[in-house]
Amino acid sequence: MLTISQLATHAGVTVRAVRHYHKIGLLPEPGRDHSGYRAYDAGAVVRLIQIHTLAGAGVPLARVQELLDAAPEEFSDGVEKIDKDLRAEIRRLQDTRKRLARLAAGEHLALPASVVDYLDRLRELGMDERYIVLERDAWIMIAAQVPHLVDDVIVQKHQALEHPDTVKLYRLVNETLDAAADDPRIVEMVDLIESMMIAAVQAGAAGSYGLDDDLVRLMDTAMLEAAPEAQRIITLLEQRGWKGWTRIERIPADRL
């Protein structure tokens, strides 16, 4: 006959685990010997090893009893059902890990892969992370409101980056993040934006990619709150007959 400590050692578990199995009814409590100690036989060792094996394999303790009492065929079916449940749980946990990874990565949380790739391309151009955050937040709003437009717009943005004027504009934006309002590079940026807008109008490609007025206003407001220096650019553009930020448009001559 074995003491509880000897039983636990033979089965490879702790005494605390044995007591827990007693408490939940998985392992029957034996009677006590003449010294007042519980005495366990070989059957208790086998039962405890079975419990420990099933629990170690991922079988919930609530179902261990069911399997231990099942006939061979029922046992097989029960194990198969538990395996199916475990595989579903593994998939759920894997999905959770992916979502957590996106959360840790910032822009991956709420953006499609095409936008993340575009932001990475801006990083490769050397753009400051502060500007990346501004772009990211704008894309989050676009992706939430008009997800069906995102991939087409990203294609156009990648095409634009093939033009040296676009790359030059991004470089100027990067250089003037902390510039004073009278920095001459601000005027250089406005010159470049106007030149690009004239070319876009002539090519029939001006616009804001089909974004509605409310979303355009929201994005303009968000940009000005995050980058107040953008107001200087807007003011200079207006003096030249252009309006807007997300959607830059020509102001009719009779309104100038």
Side-chain angles (χ1 to χ4, degrees):
M1 302 300 286
L2 303 171
T3 65
I4 190 170
S5 296
Q6 293 170 327
L7 170 68
T9 299
H10 280 294
V13 302
T14 64
V15 170
R16 183 178 179 182
V18 175
R19 289 179 174 144
H20 178 65
Y21 296 149
H22 283 328
K23 183 178 179 180
I24 63 177
L26 278 181
L27 184 67
E29 292 189 54
R32 298 179 182 272
D33 61 18
H34 62 280
S35 300
Y37 292 101
R38 290 192 179 93
Y40 298 88
D41 58 17
V45 175
V46 172
R47 176 82 174 190
L48 183 56
I49 290 174
Q50 290 173 327
I51 294 170
H52 181 54
T53 301
L54 289 170
V59 178
L61 289 180
R63 303 190 64 179
V64 168
Q65 181 74 55
E66 169 192 334
L67 291 179
L68 290 177
D69 295 341
E73 185 175 341
E74 293 173 338
F75 181 90
S76 178
D77 291 342
V79 169
E80 185 176 341
K81 175 63 168 60
I82 291 171
D83 181 62
K84 181 180 178 180
D85 292 343
L86 287 173
R87 281 185 276 119
E89 178 66 8
I90 289 170
R91 287 193 296 271
R92 187 190 68 78
L93 291 173
Q94 288 173 335
D95 288 342
T96 299
R97 290 191 65 210
K98 289 177 182 177
R99 288 195 295 272
L100 288 173
R102 294 190 191 102
L103 179 60
E107 60 255 21
H108 291 259
L109 175 63
L111 290 174
S114 60
V115 176
V116 174
D117 290 343
Y118 174 70
L119 294 177
D120 285 341
R121 187 172 180 186
L122 294 183
R123 289 188 177 94
E124 291 172 2
L125 288 176
M127 296 302 294
D128 190 284
E129 198 62 28
R130 288 174 296 171
Y131 178 80
I132 298 293
V133 169
L134 295 178
E135 280 252 0
R136 180 201 67 196
D137 290 350
W139 282 109
I140 287 174
M141 288 187 284
I142 294 173
Q145 297 295 322
V146 285
H148 59 287
L149 296 178
V150 170
D151 287 343
D152 289 341
V153 175
I154 284 295
V155 169
Q156 297 177 51
K157 298 289 282 185
H158 277 294
Q159 291 173 345
L161 282 177
E162 300 299 327
H163 196 288
D165 281 351
T166 304
V167 176
K168 182 179 180 181
L169 178 60
Y170 272 117
R171 177 178 58 78
L172 287 169
V173 168
N174 213 38
E175 293 174 356
T176 56
L177 285 174
D178 298 313
D182 59 352
D183 190 303
R185 290 172 296 182
I186 299 293
V187 176
E188 186 179 357
M189 285 175 58
V190 173
D191 289 341
L192 192 53
I193 292 172
E194 183 177 31
S195 174
M196 294 169 66
M197 286 305 303
I198 290 172
V201 169
Q202 291 175 341
S208 57
Y209 310 105
L211 306 182
D212 64 37
D213 293 343
D214 288 340
L215 182 55
V216 168
R217 282 193 292 270
L218 178 62
M219 292 175 64
D220 284 356
T221 300
M223 174 59 74
L224 290 173
E225 289 175 351
E229 62 273 14
Q231 184 60 60
R232 172 64 174 160
I233 297 174
I234 291 176
T235 300
L236 291 173
L237 284 170
E238 287 178 349
Q239 292 173 1
R240 301 183 185 197
W242 301 90
K243 68 173 182 177
W245 178 264
T246 302
R247 178 196 290 147
I248 301 178
E249 300 173 306
R250 188 68 177 169
I251 300 175
D254 61 0
R255 291 178 55 197
L256 291 177

